[in-house]
Amino acid sequence: MTALNSPHDRFFKAVFGRTEVAAEFLERYLPTTAAQALNWKTLRTAKDSFLDPELALHPADLLYAVDLRDGGPGYVHVLFEHKSYVESRIGLDLLRYRVRIWEQWLNAGNSGRLPVVVPVVVYHGAATWRVSRQFADEVEEAPALRAYVPACVYHLIDLSGYQDDELRGAVMLHTALLTLKYIFRDELRERLPEILGLLRDLAQSSMGLDYVRTLLRYLAQAASIDRLSGDELRQAVTQTLSGGDELMLTIAEQWEQQATERGIQKGIQRGIQKGIEKGIEQGEARLLKQLLTWRFGSLPAWAEARLAGAEPARLETWAKRVLDAQTLDAVFVEGNEGNEGNSRAV
């Protein structure tokens, strides 16, 4: 399958890859007649290999197998759209997916009538969705031949079209939908305390804590600095959630490890030692810049210049000061290298 490079895709798949969340979501937001025709207790995630890898147009697609109320087989195919523009050929993409699903079903040795495939598009982008919801509208208009053109209707769930009180569900689903709705909006900053407040009880369990970390990582990665700065996120988390400082520290540590690994891997792929060293340096510099922004807000030009020209050893020295330093100047001050053992590592 295609790599999940987008934080939106990663968050969507992490949340809705949980069958209990997906079942609640689809039962709530599919049309009533469609929802009542499916046995949601039987919903399970279909293996990724079920779909043709060559057709992996959208890396966050999810395919669920589900039984009909009368016992027949069925599938729900969910396509997640977060682009700033609306995909005009989405009806054709969905038609191709349906054909592949049926082909794979037959290749698996099944026979009889083909299973029902319910296509669902979940959208939370900034642009207004104006694309028709049936494939037939993409085909040349010929009234006398209309019977030969498949309609292939899909169901659209456009989160921007829902009022907040319409976005309901258990805590994971509720907070995920609200976050996805506001991630591209300026109102995210003012809505965040309320969204985080819903997580207070959830954060007390290990499974719930994993989801809280997932949500916070998504907010930190996907929200524009104009809508939510790192410092504003940290402040909202520490004021709303018990152990908020520790949560943000854990996320920062995970990012440091990931950035270092990405830098090393990039160098290895180039096959030269210089590439390895450069990859590590760039990865650490980007991470340190993000950590400094979380702690002290927007960085002045002189700080960015220091980061851009620093060697890996100096970046490591500065990184060890981030948590304990009271000011930005204290991070970069010269002459404290001998005291680094008293600082906590980021």
Side-chain angles (χ1 to χ4, degrees), residues 192-193 196 228 231-241:
L192 187 59
L196 293 178
L228 182 70
D231 190 58
E232 288 170 330
L233 173 59
R234 183 184 63 81
Q235 183 177 3
V237 171
T238 55
Q239 290 181 351
T240 308
L241 298 177

Side-chain angles (χ1 to χ4, degrees), residues 309-324:
E311 297 177 352
R314 189 163 293 277
L315 290 172
E316 182 179 358
T317 296
W318 293 337
K320 290 178 179 179
R321 299 174 181 166
V322 170
L323 293 180
D324 292 334

Side-chain angles (χ1 to χ4, degrees), residues 89-96 98 102 117 119 131-141 145-155:
R89 294 295 185 185
I90 197 167
L92 179 60
D93 293 344
L94 291 168
L95 175 57
R96 294 171 65 201
R98 260 181 278 198
W102 286 323
V117 179
V131 179
S132 172
R133 287 188 277 176
Q134 63 175 354
F135 169 72
D137 289 336
E138 297 184 25
V139 180
E140 186 69 33
E141 181 69 27
L145 304 176
R146 190 73 172 182
Y148 301 103
V149 179
C152 293
V153 177
Y154 63 88
H155 180 61

Side-chain angles (χ1 to χ4, degrees), residues 20-86:
E20 72 278 9
V21 176
E24 182 188 10
F25 172 63
L26 293 168
E27 187 174 10
R28 280 178 176 272
Y29 294 98
L30 276 176
T32 302
T33 52
Q36 292 178 346
L38 300 171
N39 182 358
W40 297 108
K41 293 181 180 179
T42 67
L43 187 84
R44 61 268 186 202
T45 304
K47 294 182 179 179
D48 288 343
S49 60
F50 190 87
L51 289 177
D52 188 337
E54 295 181 359
L55 208 59
L57 304 176
H58 302 272
D61 283 358
L62 288 169
L63 180 67
Y64 309 97
V66 61
D67 296 340
L68 308 185
R69 289 289 181 185
D70 62 10
Y75 291 94
V76 179
H77 173 223
V78 179
L79 183 153
F80 178 57
E81 282 286 331
H82 62 78
K83 291 174 286 194
S84 58
Y85 61 91
V86 177

Side-chain angles (χ1 to χ4, degrees), residues 322-342:
V322 170
L323 293 180
D324 292 334
Q326 298 302 308
T327 65
L328 183 61
D329 289 337
V331 174
F332 293 98
V333 68
E334 300 294 335
N336 288 345
E337 285 75 12
N339 298 324
E340 298 305 330
N342 295 325

Side-chain angles (χ1 to χ4, degrees), residues 198-217:
L198 298 170
L199 297 171
R200 287 193 182 97
D201 293 337
L202 194 65
Q204 303 307 310
S205 67
S206 59
M207 184 181 72
L209 191 58
D210 286 341
Y211 170 73
V212 172
R213 293 193 184 105
T214 297
L215 179 63
L216 295 181
R217 278 194 294 270

